[in-house]
Amino acid sequence: QSTKQIENLLHNINEGTTKKKIGLSDKSGIEFFEIDAIVYCKSENVYTTFYFDNKTEIVTSKSIKDYEKELSNYAFFRIHNSYLINLHKVKKYIRGEGGQVVMSNGATLDVSRTRKDLFLKKLGEVWFY
């Protein structure tokens, strides 16, 4: 796992641009994706599915908790045990007990009650409303 993080770090350093990439490992190998293109991640037991702008889906065998740490510096927020979202891809917030977010790809995701206040604070840091 630490080898993977070092690979990602070296890749990002060598990029020399503001567009950072993440290496996602699946059964066929490691593929690199622009972090900005990630809409959200969904936890499914020990797997995490990444959903991208271009409708691509990638299933990895790492937990969402690992990705939460890795993406925390890139405006990603864990709105629910199951969801880690890119705050730049939030299209709409729907009020409710926890509420829901509508993402740029049209997905509607639940926000947990316990994370709602911190989520709205983080959202306010990214978007001015």
Side-chain angles (χ1 to χ4, degrees), residues 4-126:
K4 178 79 148 176
Q5 289 171 332
I6 292 167
E7 281 175 17
N8 281 340
L9 180 64
L10 289 174
H11 182 78
N12 286 340
I13 290 169
N14 292 332
E15 272 297 286
T17 66
T18 55
K19 287 198 182 247
K20 301 296 179 210
K21 293 188 176 189
I22 185 170
L24 299 179
S25 180
D26 64 11
K27 56 185 175 284
S28 62
I30 300 171
E31 194 171 346
F32 292 93
F33 296 90
E34 301 287 342
I35 289 174
D36 291 348
I38 301 168
V39 178
Y40 71 97
C41 310
K42 181 180 181 184
S43 172
E44 299 174 67
N45 298 319
V46 295
Y47 299 99
T48 302
T49 303
F50 281 75
Y51 296 85
F52 293 89
D53 280 334
N54 64 3
K55 306 291 187 220
T56 301
E57 294 177 18
I58 300 291
V59 179
T60 67
S61 58
K62 257 171 74 174
S63 77
I64 200 166
K65 189 175 184 178
D66 293 330
Y67 291 116
E68 182 179 12
K69 288 179 207 159
E70 212 171 320
L71 294 169
S72 62
N73 294 329
Y74 296 97
F76 278 76
F77 186 78
R78 185 95 175 259
I79 59 167
H80 189 280
N81 281 344
S82 299
Y83 302 113
L84 175 65
I85 66 167
N86 182 340
L87 294 171
H88 294 288
K89 302 291 182 178
V90 174
K91 196 169 157 185
K92 181 178 184 179
Y93 172 72
I94 301 166
R95 288 185 175 87
E97 202 169 329
Q100 293 179 313
V101 288
V102 178
M103 303 304 291
S104 60
N105 66 352
T108 302
L109 311 173
D110 291 329
V111 177
S112 79
R113 286 188 320 253
T114 57
R115 297 173 196 229
K116 176 183 177 179
D117 291 341
L118 186 55
F119 163 67
L120 291 174
K121 181 178 183 280
K122 290 283 186 190
L123 196 61
E125 291 170 7
V126 173

